Amino acid sequence: MTAAPVLPRTFFAREVMTVARDLLGRHLEHDGVVVRLTEVEAYAGPDDPASHAYRGITPRNAVMFGPAGHLYVYFSYGMHWCANVVCGPDGAASAVLLRAGEVVEGLAVARSRRTTARGDAELARGPARLTAALGIGREHDGADLCRDGASITLTPGHPVPDLAVAHGPRVGVGAAADREWRLWVTGDPTVSAYRPGGRRRGGSAP
DNA sequence: CCATTGATCGTCT
DNA sequence: GACGATCAATGGT
């Protein structure tokens, strides 16, 4: 498909917010579908209460503690997969959650993987929808995006100017709500809806 | 358009 | 045993 160059590992081995900002507008490709990233969220390592790395290394989050440029894929709410790109120096355990994008190639394939989508803007609008549209799942946890011949690749795409980048608190996150580490392309219809963090519903019936 | 709720299970306490 | 970095369906304004 696209013959665009893959991003070098040095791109990912920088401070997590810097990488998150630079990921906007870039293209993520896998198995016949290309998505232009429109929304991302930064998560730091053990010092970030909202991060999966907050309580140290476990079997699930082990990839976060490894080298930058690998995919950290986790299982969410018993039915969805979400994908992060590991960032920063090795061991920093920081990562960027890929929250949403616009399908720019492979529309027919993406539609077949997302039959409940109401329109094309909804195909990859949300972290689990994005992985579904691209066909990314558990087998891609730890995938190296920088290796030559990688099945999942991040390519330059089209840069987004500073004026078009908005930021705010992370979606569905209660802890560290003051860190406005969610970045998105202003006004883009493929950006997901905001939902505040905190716990839903309280009581078990007596 | 907005708010609420069930689905469903790996992970960590 | 409780809790999610979520989604889709439902019912109301």
Side-chain angles (χ1 to χ4, degrees):
Chain A
M1 295 216 157
T2 38
V6 168
L7 298 176
R9 199 169 310 279
T10 51
F11 173 89
F12 301 103
R14 298 176 294 154
E15 193 273 325
V16 63
M17 271 299 275
T18 308
V19 180
R21 191 255 169 270
D22 285 356
L23 280 174
L24 290 174
R26 296 185 187 270
H27 287 183
L28 182 65
E29 171 170 2
H30 174 68
D31 199 21
V33 173
V34 179
V35 159
R36 170 187 151 259
L37 296 177
T38 57
E39 182 191 3
V40 297
E41 269 173 7
Y43 287 86
D47 59 321
D48 179 3
S51 173
H52 284 180
Y54 183 48
R55 297 178 200 278
I57 188 169
T58 69
R60 175 178 70 155
N61 66 19
V63 172
M64 288 184 79
F65 289 80
H70 290 248
L71 214 56
Y72 164 50
V73 179
Y74 71 93
F75 190 51
S76 178
Y77 288 94
M79 57 197 107
H80 305 297
W81 297 96
C82 297
N84 300 250
V85 181
V86 176
C87 296
D90 294 6
S94 54
V96 174
L97 172 66
L98 308 176
R99 281 204 57 91
E102 174 199 4
V103 175
V104 294
E105 260 183 71
L107 215 42
V109 180
R111 285 175 184 145
S112 73
R113 289 175 178 152
R114 292 269 305 112
T115 55
T116 56
R118 288 263 190 153
D120 290 345
E122 216 173 70
L123 287 172
R125 187 175 187 250
R129 292 163 166 180
L130 182 144
T131 58
L134 285 163
I136 291 174
R138 97 180 326 147
E139 68 271 31
H140 299 108
D141 186 35
D144 186 356
L145 306 179
C146 304
R147 182 176 52 84
D148 214 27
S151 77
I152 303 174
T153 56
L154 259 167
T155 55
H158 302 289
V160 175
D162 286 343
L163 273 176
V165 177
H167 62 94
R170 296 174 286 192
V171 174
V173 170
D178 55 310
R179 302 190 187 185
E180 301 206 323
W181 283 2
R182 174 191 183 218
L183 305 176
W184 67 92
V185 177
T186 307
D188 195 290
T190 65
V191 173
S192 70
Y194 177 70
R195 172 175 54 84
R199 25 204 86 178
R200 205 192 340 170
R201 221 172 17 270
S204 42

